[in-house]
Amino acid sequence: MRSVVRSLLLATMVILVSACASNQQEEVLPEKTYYENAREAMNSGNFNEAEENLNALETYYPFGRYAEQAQLDLIFARYQNLDLEGSRAAADRFLRLNPQSDHADYALYMRGLASYNLDIGLAARYFPVDVGARDPGEQRQAFRDFSELLNRYPESEYVADARQRMVAIRNRMAELEIFAARYYVKRNAYVAANNRARYVVENFPTTPSVEEALVIMAETFRALELPKDSQDAVALLKKNFPDSNAFNQRGEFQANLLNAESRSLSNVVTFGLIGDD
């Protein structure tokens, strides 16, 4: 009987000790302590520790003195931890809770920056990736965020960088259209290739891809037996890119991307579904 009582007491003591240890682990620190710990961790480059303290600060003191700054720091800490989706979500939350904040331009910029890098992903940081061949879905979102930044906060210190990134996004999106046009050329789908190239000329006229787009237009128009349109494309190419490799030393257009001589127009426009027979 004594041994049973002793065992029960021992078990009770173990439970109490465990509960005390658990309570010590879950001890809530003062608001300022969380904030100072987070800032110290960020200054030393320990963004994991910084994020832990910032999350605790938001959890225990959501309306405290450091709440707004903690939300801003959390955006940056997650970005530095390569948690791009988390960084974007934190920026969304900040803009929703603090629409009139003096730091809203920063949150908007960081949201765009997270989307800007989200398309490429971690693999591209260490392995070669053809960005032009990837669907720029997040790039479009980044472009919208940067555009909003320029419109709402034209005097913001982040405008210059945002504008440069918008140029890069346009270039990437144009590259994607050219990548698709090349694919259609290889498939002898000249109507589709022409449409993609023309889209670049009409929608991304200041990008480097315009030169190749005009070459593709000239060649595909020729393959589609539209000589006047082909000549117009060549003239536009010569006017804007007189030193293009598409011209020989005499200034004559000599690009030869296509091999359509053996295919009928019906075969071309139906993506090869209707044969020449």
Side-chain angles (χ1 to χ4, degrees):
M1 185 65 179
R2 289 182 178 178
S3 61
V4 173
V5 173
R6 188 179 297 111
S7 298
L8 290 173
L9 290 174
L10 182 60
T12 302
M13 291 179 63
V14 169
I15 293 173
L16 291 174
V17 170
S18 298
C20 291
S22 177
N23 288 335
Q24 290 178 355
Q25 292 175 359
E26 296 176 1
E27 179 185 359
V28 178
L29 302 177
E31 177 185 10
K32 186 177 180 180
T33 301
Y34 283 124
Y35 179 73
E36 290 179 345
N37 288 346
R39 297 300 298 181
E40 182 178 349
M42 291 177 70
N43 291 335
S44 64
N46 189 345
F47 293 101
N48 283 321
E49 182 180 339
E51 188 173 346
E52 290 176 3
N53 280 278
L54 292 169
N55 284 330
L57 186 58
E58 280 209 304
T59 298
Y60 298 121
Y61 305 99
F63 306 106
R65 174 183 176 186
Y66 302 100
E68 181 174 340
Q69 186 59 48
Q71 293 169 19
L72 289 169
D73 290 343
L74 188 59
I75 298 171
F76 183 72
R78 288 180 178 176
Y79 182 85
Q80 290 298 321
N81 277 331
L82 303 181
D83 180 10
L84 300 180
E85 291 185 354
S87 178
R88 187 170 63 178
D92 272 333
R93 183 171 181 270
F94 179 88
L95 291 169
R96 187 171 63 254
L97 296 177
N98 309 278
Q100 305 302 323
S101 170
D102 292 337
H103 304 290
D105 60 329
Y106 171 78
L108 190 56
Y109 169 73
M110 288 299 297
R111 188 174 73 180
L113 193 61
S115 295
Y116 180 85
N117 289 291
L118 195 57
D119 256 335
I120 300 175
L122 295 178
R125 296 174 181 263
Y126 307 103
F127 304 101
V129 174
D130 185 354
V131 176
R134 298 172 62 88
D135 183 351
E138 299 298 340
Q139 297 287 300
R140 294 189 178 93
Q141 180 59 51
F143 192 91
R144 287 191 289 269
D145 286 336
F146 291 143
S147 295
E148 185 179 350
L149 175 66
L150 266 62
N151 292 330
R152 292 179 56 187
Y153 308 101
E155 303 301 324
S156 171
E157 62 182 295
Y158 308 107
V159 161
D161 185 72
R163 186 177 285 112
Q164 290 182 349
R165 292 182 188 277
M166 290 173 70
V167 171
I169 291 171
R170 287 194 190 96
N171 290 345
R172 288 182 185 178
M173 295 177 71
E175 288 170 9
L176 176 66
E177 296 297 326
I178 292 298
F179 182 87
R182 292 194 204 110
Y183 170 80
Y184 286 127
V185 166
K186 291 178 182 178
R187 301 279 296 179
N188 296 329
Y190 302 135
V191 172
N194 186 281
N195 287 337
R196 292 283 188 151
R198 191 167 67 251
Y199 184 85
V200 171
V201 173
E202 293 174 352
N203 294 277
F204 306 109
T206 60
T207 65
S209 297
V210 169
E211 179 181 354
E212 185 174 354
L214 288 169
V215 172
I216 293 174
M217 286 177 63
E219 287 283 77
T220 51
F221 276 134
R222 180 175 63 82
L224 294 169
E225 301 179 7
L226 296 170
K228 176 62 168 59
D229 292 326
S230 179
Q231 292 169 9
D232 290 344
V234 170
L236 194 58
L237 177 67
K238 195 164 191 177
K239 178 180 178 180
N240 292 277
F241 304 96
D243 298 325
S244 173
N245 292 331
F247 299 110
N248 60 23
Q249 293 181 346
R250 295 186 299 274
E252 299 169 338
F253 184 73
Q254 62 176 6
N256 186 24
L257 299 174
L258 318 178
N259 293 307
E261 290 80 2
S262 62
R263 303 189 66 204
S264 68
L265 181 60
S266 63
N267 185 261
V268 170
V269 300
T270 59
F271 294 10
L273 296 177
I274 299 178
D276 294 325
D277 295 336

